[in-house]
Amino acid sequence: MSKPGPLSLNAMYKVLYDKLKGNPGKITMMTIAVLMLSEIPIYVFTLLDIVKLKSLYKYRLHYARDLVEHLGSRKYPPLDLIVSTAKNAEFNFFFAYVIPGAILIKLANKLGIYAYDTEEGEEKVTWTRIIKETFMISVVADLLFYGLHRAMHTPRFYLPFHKKHHEFKYSMALAHHYMEYKEALVFALPQALPPLILWGLTGKKMHILSMWIGVFYTQVNAIFGHAGWRVPFVPRWLPTFQPDYHDFHHVDYSVNFGAIYPLTDMLFGTYLKPRLDTNAPIPKDISYPKGFVWSK
């Protein structure tokens, strides 16, 4: 048997596999740790919103003036708004995603139900397989998110479920989880269901590594889409990680319902690529005043 190379994905996975003695229940429970790690970008962007550096103002997400004339310049959110948003957002994160997720995984383990392939092996855990499965998971996740999100904009669901999330015209990272608790429970589904749907369609379990990377990848895209910051090292032609894609949905509710791929909205005729203003003048007051909210 040939020795695995330094970039062997299986060799890296095997470290964890051996540490957990190959126990599929314990390995699956690590999904919760991955979910927690995927929150880190929210805290990074929120720290930038708190310190409010004038030197970084140019990296705030600014649109062409004619697109946002009714909103004015995008400024830093005030501290009291950050704190009140954090209370709702983190409650939803832990009580709609983390704790229910841990309970469901524990229950499935008790029943001997293992929805993911957790085995190791050079032929089983390859870069090709994991990248392919991660992409499949992300596509299904974005389609599910798009469908649920469009439903939330119908008269039946908008007021009782979704209006709270749209209190933000100019979004911020914490707004990713800022919503009614019942809506947070609904939007846990695009994260949880894709591997199960693909298992049903293909007859093959997705590898747990694909699920972990898929969770992290979809979460980071959604956070980018709410943070209100440009990411200068991400080229505009890249078909993912585009902060303005979902962010502009908060400016114009009729477009950009997806969270990852603009192609999703293109397929359904709801895509708009907003023009950016990368030379927006720095206002005298770079933060909104205490007590400010974007809309009600």
Side-chain angles (χ1 to χ4, degrees), residues 151-166:
M152 289 299 171
H153 277 266
T154 61
R156 181 176 181 180
F157 295 111
Y158 184 75
L159 286 176
F161 279 83
H162 199 51
K163 182 174 171 55
K164 186 180 184 75
H165 184 67
H166 273 289

Side-chain angles (χ1 to χ4, degrees), residues 46-54 56 76 82 229 286:
T46 299
L47 180 61
L48 293 177
D49 286 342
I50 290 171
V51 296
K52 300 175 177 32
L53 295 177
K54 187 172 282 190
L56 294 181
Y76 286 109
I82 293 172
W229 289 85
I286 60 172

Side-chain angles (χ1 to χ4, degrees), residues 251-287:
V251 175
D252 183 346
Y253 301 175
S254 67
V255 298
N256 300 4
F257 291 91
I260 305 172
Y261 301 113
L263 182 59
T264 303
D265 273 276
M266 291 178 193
L267 287 172
F268 296 99
T270 52
Y271 177 62
L272 189 150
K273 187 171 185 174
R275 288 173 287 112
L276 301 183
D277 182 357
T278 56
N279 295 301
I282 301 175
K284 183 179 179 182
D285 297 316
I286 60 172
S287 174

Side-chain angles (χ1 to χ4, degrees), residues 91-102:
F91 177 88
N92 285 338
F93 178 67
F94 284 99
F95 288 94
Y97 308 145
V98 174
I99 295 173

Side-chain angles (χ1 to χ4, degrees), residues 33-107:
V34 173
L35 183 59
M36 298 278 286
L37 285 172
S38 72
E39 279 289 277
I40 290 174
I42 283 185
Y43 305 136
V44 172
F45 284 122
T46 299
L47 180 61
L48 293 177
D49 286 342
I50 290 171
V51 296
K52 300 175 177 32
L53 295 177
K54 187 172 282 190
S55 59
L56 294 181
Y57 182 81
K58 63 183 178 181
Y59 295 113
R60 300 283 287 157
L61 199 49
H62 302 290
Y63 298 108
R65 196 167 299 180
D66 61 301
L67 295 177
V68 290
E69 200 168 0
H70 58 300
L71 297 177
S73 300
R74 182 178 213 140
K75 301 181 181 181
Y76 286 109
L79 184 59
D80 63 320
L81 182 60
I82 293 172
V83 171
S84 63
T85 304
K87 289 177 181 176
N88 172 271
E90 291 306 288
F91 177 88
N92 285 338
F93 178 67
F94 284 99
F95 288 94
Y97 308 145
V98 174
I99 295 173
I103 291 171
L104 288 172
I105 291 172
K106 190 76 173 174
L107 180 61

Side-chain angles (χ1 to χ4, degrees), residues 19 21 90 134 194 207 229 249:
K19 189 174 183 63
K21 298 181 170 58
E90 291 306 288
T134 299
H207 199 275
W229 289 85
H249 171 74

